[in-house]
Amino acid sequence: MNTITPISDAQEYRSSMQRAALHFLQRHQGEHLTDDGKLFERGVQYLVNSLEVPAFMADRLVHLAMSELECLKRPVIGIDYGTGQDETRVTLIHFLSGETVLIPCRHLPARLQPPAAHLAAAAVN
């Protein structure tokens, strides 16, 4: 006969609440592409208000769940400088949706300017 100890019950509870937090974060991560803090707060509120997890435990569980989120481990938006004829524009790529948009290079900060733009600026000065 298997006996369930209070320790294994507590571990199972924390594990299931962490999974619930991870699923919540995955569902709502697209709403907070630039503010992980807000996503964290919403995850804690969800656990506390909807699942009645104690607040001291909710913080830790959401923190652990956020460490598992794949989107936080890789960039969401990238820059494709391309090799085409038009060196005045770059393509921004949203990795999660695959959407792309062309923007003028002048809208990028200096540290993100393509290498050709740095050479052109140096030649003018």
Side-chain angles (χ1 to χ4, degrees):
M1 180 174 174
N2 289 339
T3 59
I4 299 176
T5 63
I7 293 173
S8 66
D9 282 346
Q11 289 172 339
E12 179 60 33
Y13 174 75
R14 283 193 298 271
S15 177
S16 63
M17 291 301 107
Q18 184 177 335
R19 282 192 309 273
L22 178 60
H23 291 295
F24 177 86
L25 296 173
Q26 288 170 334
R27 284 192 311 269
H28 296 278
Q29 67 188 359
E31 300 167 22
H32 302 283
L33 293 177
T34 60
D35 190 2
D36 295 338
K38 192 68 169 169
L39 179 62
F40 177 83
E41 289 173 18
R42 285 191 62 203
V44 171
Q45 289 173 358
Y46 169 73
L47 290 183
V48 170
N49 297 330
S50 299
L51 301 178
E52 298 179 357
V53 174
F56 75 90
M57 188 183 296
D59 280 347
R60 177 76 175 141
L61 294 173
V62 173
H63 175 75
L64 291 171
M66 285 192 80
S67 69
E68 295 181 43
L69 271 180
E70 285 300 314
C71 77
L72 298 179
K73 296 178 184 175
R74 61 183 163 84
V76 176
I77 296 176
I79 301 171
D80 181 6
Y81 295 107
T83 56
Q85 298 292 336
D86 188 2
E87 296 176 357
T88 63
R89 296 189 297 175
V90 296
T91 304
L92 293 183
I93 303 167
H94 187 274
F95 292 123
L96 299 177
S97 67
E99 294 177 71
T100 61
V101 63
L102 287 171
I103 65 163
C105 288
R106 69 178 183 273
H107 293 300
L108 292 176
R111 65 184 174 85
L112 296 177
Q113 292 289 327
H118 292 299
L119 295 174
V124 170
N125 294 326

